[in-house]
């Protein structure tokens, strides 16, 4: 099939957008040969291949740029749009959606989930830090906890800057969880909502005393 060539220009606002775009571009397999030439406020991309390969490659390139802009710049409501996979990959973690959403809610961030896309008020660098911390805590307690109890413990630990072990002990002391000797795991004895409510009431009571 005949080879062809097309040059497209990607306009960027600053070096950060350029760096993020290049980083994302290097992570994916593009069906055509591409050569990128950086300018001050744009990237000229030379795409070579068959017409179908070029069409597919340009679709991938434009999709990457849209994702990068959505995560770096807020929309009209002041919200950012993130892929959960992008967040976890950047943070080097594997944090579940319920844990991430609950953590952001406890941090008083606006957060919505639309078709697998996280829409929130927290900027990119901050959500990566939060997710990285969640990942660290998850690694600490994963072997001795069930999924249900982690969805309570991890968000509270990050939002209130507590050690996750401390939060587990608090749940036990409040009668919301117990240690199962036969399973070597902490489990909730209340449902997630009740356990979280008991925990937050206790922590807010301590804050009021201070």
């Amino acid at each position: 099939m005949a080879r062809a060539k097309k040059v497209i220009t990607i306009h960027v606002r600053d070096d950060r957008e350029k760096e993020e775009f290049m980083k994302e571009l290097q992570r994916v397999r593009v069906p055509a040969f591409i050569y990128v030439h950086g300018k001050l406020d744009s990237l000229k991309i030379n795409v070579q291949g068959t017409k179908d390969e070029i069409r597919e490659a340009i679709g991938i390139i434009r999709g990457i740029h849209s994702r990068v802009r959505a995560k770096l710049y807020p929309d009209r409501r002041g919200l950012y749009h993130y892929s959960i996979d992008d967040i976890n990959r950047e943070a080097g973690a594997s944090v579940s959606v319920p844990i991430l959403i609950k953590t952001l809610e406890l941090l008083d961030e606006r957060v919505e989930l639309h078709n697998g896309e996280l829409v929130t008020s927290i900027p990119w660098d901050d959500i990566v830090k939060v997710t990285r911390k969640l990942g660290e805590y998850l690694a600490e307690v994963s072997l001795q906890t069930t999924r249900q109890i982690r969805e309570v413990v991890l968000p509270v630990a990050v939002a209130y800057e507590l050690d996750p072990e401390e939060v587990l002990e608090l749940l036990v002391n409040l009668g919301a969880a117990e240690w199962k000797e036969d399973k070597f795991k902490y489990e909730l004895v209340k449902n997630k909502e009740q356990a979280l409510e008991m925990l937050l009431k206790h922590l807010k009571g301590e804050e009021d005393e201070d």
Side-chain angles (χ1 to χ4, degrees):
M1 194 175 286
R3 310 287 287 177
K5 180 175 80 170
K6 184 161 186 178
V7 177
I8 62 168
T9 301
I10 299 289
H11 295 282
V12 293
R13 297 189 196 179
D14 51 31
D15 284 344
R16 187 170 179 221
E17 182 181 339
K18 197 182 292 182
E19 287 163 14
E20 286 290 334
F21 173 80
M22 289 303 297
K23 190 162 67 177
E24 291 297 324
L25 185 60
Q26 286 162 8
R27 281 180 174 150
V28 299
R29 279 195 64 176
V30 180
F33 171 80
I34 61 170
Y35 172 77
V36 183
H37 176 64
K39 294 200 169 185
L40 188 63
D41 58 355
S42 65
L43 293 165
K44 281 203 175 296
I45 304 175
N46 187 317
V47 188
Q48 298 177 25
T50 65
K51 285 188 177 179
D52 287 345
E53 287 169 346
I54 290 172
R55 191 181 303 114
E56 187 181 346
I58 289 173
I60 290 170
I61 289 165
R62 296 206 187 282
I64 289 170
H65 192 219
S66 294
R67 282 209 337 269
V68 166
R69 291 180 73 88
K71 78 181 184 185
L72 291 183
Y73 311 121
D75 63 17
R76 289 177 184 175
R77 296 188 296 157
L79 303 178
Y80 302 88
H81 297 246
Y82 306 128
S83 150
I84 303 290
D85 288 342
D86 284 352
I87 297 169
N88 273 317
R89 185 173 57 231
E90 188 69 22
S94 184
V95 176
S96 71
V97 175
I99 287 174
L100 190 51
I101 287 177
K102 182 51 68 179
T103 305
L104 295 177
E105 287 174 349
L106 292 180
L107 289 168
D108 291 325
E109 298 287 354
R110 289 177 63 188
V111 57
E112 306 162 5
L113 191 67
H114 296 306
N115 301 319
E117 182 181 67
L118 197 70
V119 183
T120 177
S121 54
I122 188 170
W124 176 247
D125 288 344
D126 293 337
I127 199 169
V128 170
K129 284 179 194 169
V130 166
T131 307
R132 191 170 289 138
K133 180 59 74 177
L134 285 168
E136 289 168 11
Y137 285 174
L138 177 61
E140 284 180 34
V141 301
S142 62
L143 294 177
Q144 62 192 37
T145 53
T146 60
R147 179 180 57 80
Q148 293 272 325
I149 200 169
R150 286 196 292 271
E151 290 181 9
V152 176
V153 170
L154 298 183
V156 170
V158 170
Y160 284 82
E161 298 182 353
L162 297 169
D163 187 287
E165 295 277 359
E166 191 180 342
V167 181
L168 283 167
E169 287 174 19
L170 257 176
L171 282 170
V172 171
N173 293 338
L174 291 169
E178 63 183 14
W179 172 255
K180 295 282 191 179
E181 284 286 352
D182 57 331
K183 298 178 182 176
F184 298 104
K185 285 184 188 290
Y186 286 97
E187 287 187 2
L188 291 178
V189 292
K190 302 282 187 183
N191 66 40
K192 278 188 303 184
E193 290 73 20
Q194 289 173 320
L196 185 61
E197 189 180 342
M198 292 167 73
L199 202 49
L200 295 178
K201 189 175 179 183
H202 174 80
L203 292 169
K204 282 171 184 170
E206 285 188 342
E207 283 179 350
D208 292 342
E209 286 174 17
D210 293 343

